[in-house]
Amino acid sequence: TSKKLAMEKGVVGFYVSGHPMEAWQKICEHWLGWSTERLKTVAQEKAQVKKSAPASQATESSWGEPMGMNRFRAPKTEVKLAGLMSEFREVTTKKGSRMAFAQVEDMKGKVEAVFFPDTYTAVQEILKQAIVEGEPVVLSGEVEFGDEAPKVLVKTVEFAAEAHRNRVQQVIIGLAPAEVSPDQLRELKKQLLQNRGKCPVRIDFRDSTFRMRLDLPKTLCVVATPQTVQQINRIFGKEVVSLL
């Protein structure tokens, strides 16, 4: 479980029997469009553009205002990013408010997350619970691209499992009839029954000459978790599941 993995890391400094993001990584990248790796790549690209841009001399606009580089700041980049919270620290501002800093970590790296006082007041309970239990969260916020590593200025936090459950409408399994054995179909039925839930399942059978859509009965609805996706993909030895 995630809590066991969190305890492993707390004791030995790294995950021993697996990574809590292993089941989530690919799903979250496809769903949210961001990972720590992509954030760092974008940061490096922006740094290169800034470094290679010619120095701009300040002039005046038609309104008589100075037009230096500071007048043309890039629009803020909004992101949604999933990961584990680590290296958490809480601080007191000069005004006496509490805010926090942490690292959001996935299987490709870490980036800093900043929780200003208003946000921290709203999310501190879920944040602390996520850290203790080692559960992935989804952060939304703005990215600050400085001269160093990017930082996410967080606006909202929610558990990845809850956010994911609320978004998935259907599990679709794409299969090529000629490549599927009766044993695999029996194992698929077994896995669906073991992961019963409320999300409908559809099988799309396709090859060059044949296409058929099969909506499975309500008795084979599932919980659309990353673990369910992993188990079904494992039966067929490749990625056959997509989430709608």
Side-chain angles (χ1 to χ4, degrees), residues 23-42:
W24 283 101
Q25 186 75 32
K26 191 162 286 188
I27 285 175
C28 287
E29 285 186 37
H30 176 74
W31 164 28
L32 304 172
W34 288 94
S35 66
T36 59
E37 182 179 56
R38 186 182 172 210
L39 263 180
K40 290 176 182 177
T41 299
V42 172

Side-chain angles (χ1 to χ4, degrees), residues 119-164:
T119 298
Y120 186 52
T121 298
V123 306
Q124 60 180 314
E125 293 304 320
I126 186 173
L127 188 59
K128 290 177 179 178
Q129 184 181 346
I131 292 168
V132 170
E133 297 183 2
E135 287 291 338
V137 294
V138 173
L139 309 177
S140 68
E142 296 174 355
V143 184
E144 182 179 272
F145 293 105
D147 293 331
E148 300 177 4
K151 298 178 183 179
V152 180
L153 311 181
V154 180
K155 293 181 178 178
T156 66
V157 181
E158 56 187 327
F159 282 111
E162 184 175 343
H164 185 259

Side-chain angles (χ1 to χ4, degrees), residues 190-203:
K190 178 181 174 182
Q191 287 297 336
L192 296 178
L193 290 172
Q194 288 178 353
N195 291 280
R196 282 180 175 167
K198 296 181 179 180
C199 194
V201 179
R202 186 180 97 205
I203 301 179

Side-chain angles (χ1 to χ4, degrees), residues 64-187:
E65 296 174 338
M67 289 179 58
M69 291 187 69
N70 290 337
R71 297 248 321 137
F72 299 100
R73 294 182 181 177
K76 293 177 180 176
T77 302
E78 299 273 350
V79 299
K80 276 195 169 185
L81 178 70
L84 305 167
M85 304 310 301
S86 63
E87 300 177 42
F88 172 80
R89 61 189 178 94
E90 198 178 69
V91 299
T92 303
T93 68
K94 291 179 180 179
K95 294 182 179 179
S97 302
R98 304 292 288 172
M99 65 177 291
F101 299 86
Q103 296 288 320
V104 56
E105 173 185 353
D106 61 17
M107 294 189 72
K108 296 183 176 180
K110 300 178 182 179
V111 296
E112 186 173 20
V114 182
F115 302 85
F116 289 118
D118 287 348
T119 298
Y120 186 52
T121 298
V123 306
Q124 60 180 314
E125 293 304 320
I126 186 173
L127 188 59
K128 290 177 179 178
Q129 184 181 346
I131 292 168
V132 170
E133 297 183 2
E135 287 291 338
V137 294
V138 173
L139 309 177
S140 68
E142 296 174 355
V143 184
E144 182 179 272
F145 293 105
D147 293 331
E148 300 177 4
K151 298 178 183 179
V152 180
L153 311 181
V154 180
K155 293 181 178 178
T156 66
V157 181
E158 56 187 327
F159 282 111
E162 184 175 343
H164 185 259
R165 183 168 56 246
N166 292 337
R167 74 170 271 264
V168 179
Q169 303 298 313
Q170 189 172 43
V171 173
I172 301 171
I173 305 170
L175 301 176
E179 299 174 4
V180 177
S181 71
D183 284 345
Q184 287 175 318
L185 292 177
R186 280 191 286 270
E187 182 62 24

